[in-house]
Amino acid sequence: MKHVGAVKQMTVTTVAALAISAVAFAAGPSIHVTPGTVHAAHRVQLSGNAGGCPTGDRVMLLSRAFSPRHEFAGVPAVFARVRSNAHYGHSVLIPATTHAGHYSISGRCGGGNFGVTAHLRVLSP
């Protein structure tokens, strides 16, 4: 009978582990921009969940609203490190030369796209 109890305990443990994995996977990657509207020459805070990217990896955030100092495939980029809780965060200065308009922000990590897009509205300085 001890064997039946061990099997039940193992099944409960396995189901719990699968449920936790499903919740983590369901969270998936995300990009949040605060504030969502900003004047050029001011900062925005980028944050979110890096999905399945490991702790310490770099998240690459891409937008034509950013400084062209760093680029990926011809699109300005900024970088943030993945923390132990799978989240990232980075403050970004929107250049004074950025034209007023609506801009999309996409993300990459580990060689793949996040598959989500955030939006930022830039006003004149």
Side-chain angles (χ1 to χ4, degrees):
M1 287 300 197
K2 281 187 174 182
H3 180 67
V4 172
V7 170
K8 282 183 184 179
Q9 179 59 39
M10 195 166 85
T11 302
V12 169
T13 303
T14 302
V15 169
L18 289 173
I20 290 168
S21 296
V23 168
F25 182 74
S30 63
I31 304 170
H32 304 288
V33 185
T34 305
T37 300
V38 67
H39 286 276
H42 287 84
R43 291 190 168 275
V44 295
Q45 180 66 33
L46 304 173
S47 62
N49 188 308
C53 295
T55 299
D57 265 16
R58 284 192 334 172
V59 169
M60 183 184 321
L61 299 157
L62 306 155
S63 178
R64 299 215 181 272
F66 302 158
S67 164
R69 182 173 176 214
H70 300 287
E71 293 184 350
F72 177 79
V75 179
V78 296
F79 304 93
R81 288 272 174 217
V82 179
R83 296 187 299 255
S84 61
N85 62 359
H87 287 84
Y88 64 89
H90 188 70
S91 177
V92 178
L93 176 65
I94 303 300
T97 56
T98 301
H99 292 70
H102 295 269
Y103 294 87
S104 61
I105 302 170
S106 62
R108 297 179 57 83
C109 186
N113 288 322
F114 273 9
V116 296
T117 304
H119 300 280
L120 171 65
R121 180 177 175 214
V122 176
L123 304 174
S124 297

